[in-house]
Amino acid sequence: MLLEHNTDDIEIILIDDCSTDNSIEVIHQILDELNNFKQDNITIIQHKENKGVAYTKQEALDSSKGEFFIFIDGDDFIPEDYIETLIEYAKSNKALIYNFRTRLYPCGTTMDLDFTLWNKLFNRRAIDKYNIHFDTSLQNMDDVELWRRVSDTYPSIMEDVMPVNKIIYYYNLLAENTLTHEESLWYQTMDNLKEECR
């Protein structure tokens, strides 16, 4: 669990975009139960109205203060050594962006996804150098749009991307259609993978 790795070197930003379940109550309950939890290391943002996934990601990016930045979708999974692995690669300073391998849940298929953001570690210098920001008007496909836009504007960005041959992110296929329009290419791609997993 990410919160169990909470140290002075980790900043956690949680955004509740008007969720309709009891997730925010669960978060507070978990935090209350963690004896070693450091309040200064975590920020909880609650919206009074739904802003959308692209808006919340940009808000998290703007609110962050650290040298490195990662995204974790609320319905995905990370291994216990997630933070340790990130820190290990980040300290090498060999690249501005690290691209980790992804395993699809529940079928176990492994993929290298270059056009997503949630399986990457960004150095702050990469965010500034390549003007990485979200189109906050989008309701889905925001990460694909961002990556394509940045790649088209800055073709040299791939020189700053380092592939890491280690599975460190688990993408939850079961929750995919909750945010993605059924006519989108991303939905169709994931839907095809679901069929292959059956």
Side-chain angles (χ1 to χ4, degrees):
M1 183 180 187
L2 183 59
L3 293 176
E4 293 175 341
H5 296 276
N6 193 12
T7 71
D8 292 335
D9 296 327
I10 300 174
E11 175 189 26
I12 301 173
I13 301 173
L14 301 171
I15 300 181
D16 177 20
D17 193 31
C18 295
S19 59
T20 56
D21 56 17
N22 65 335
S23 56
I24 193 67
E25 288 82 6
V26 172
I27 288 172
H28 283 293
Q29 180 181 351
I30 292 174
L31 298 183
D32 289 340
E33 293 174 355
L34 287 177
N35 296 327
N36 62 342
F37 172 66
K38 296 181 177 62
Q39 294 287 340
D40 293 340
N41 289 11
I42 190 165
T43 300
I44 299 177
I45 301 174
Q46 289 184 265
H47 291 165
K48 294 183 178 180
E49 61 181 20
N50 184 268
K51 299 289 189 178
V53 63
Y55 181 97
T56 58
K57 288 177 181 177
Q58 186 61 47
E59 184 176 28
L61 193 59
D62 292 339
S63 302
S64 66
K65 302 178 180 66
E67 183 180 356
F68 302 97
F69 194 90
I70 55 173
F71 293 96
I72 302 176
D73 287 354
D75 45 23
D76 293 340
F77 309 90
I78 56 174
E80 293 181 358
D81 62 346
Y82 186 68
I83 295 300
E84 288 83 354
T85 301
L86 292 177
I87 292 175
E88 176 185 348
Y89 283 102
K91 287 183 176 180
S92 70
N93 291 319
K94 293 181 179 179
L96 296 183
I97 303 171
Y98 295 87
N99 191 46
F100 298 98
R101 304 196 73 192
T102 300
R103 176 160 288 165
L104 304 180
Y105 173 87
C107 62
T109 301
T110 301
M111 296 184 67
D112 294 308
L113 300 172
D114 293 330
F115 52 88
T116 60
L117 298 180
W118 33 255
N119 67 330
K120 291 177 175 59
L121 167 70
F122 291 88
N123 189 306
R124 175 68 63 179
R125 287 182 291 134
I127 295 173
D128 295 336
K129 179 178 179 179
Y130 298 112
N131 192 24
I132 294 175
H133 66 274
F134 291 92
D135 181 347
T136 56
S137 67
L138 297 178
Q139 295 300 313
N140 56 63
M141 300 286 288
D142 52 282
D143 52 350
V144 176
E145 186 279 333
L146 187 155
W147 191 250
R148 287 178 175 172
R149 168 168 38 88
V150 172
S151 298
D152 289 343
T153 306
Y154 304 97
S156 62
I157 191 174
M158 297 311 298
E159 298 175 5
D160 281 330
V161 177
M162 178 180 178
V164 178
N165 190 27
K166 183 172 184 178
I167 299 169
I168 196 173
Y169 198 93
Y170 295 81
Y171 188 91
N172 187 3
L173 278 174
L174 299 180
E176 175 54 39
N177 59 1
T178 58
L179 288 177
T180 306
H181 194 279
E182 292 188 8
E183 295 180 358
S184 72
L185 177 61
W186 177 250
Y187 179 91
Q188 295 171 22
T189 301
M190 293 296 104
D191 205 41
N192 291 338
L193 286 171
K194 290 179 187 178
E195 290 296 326
E196 293 178 11
C197 289
R198 292 193 177 101

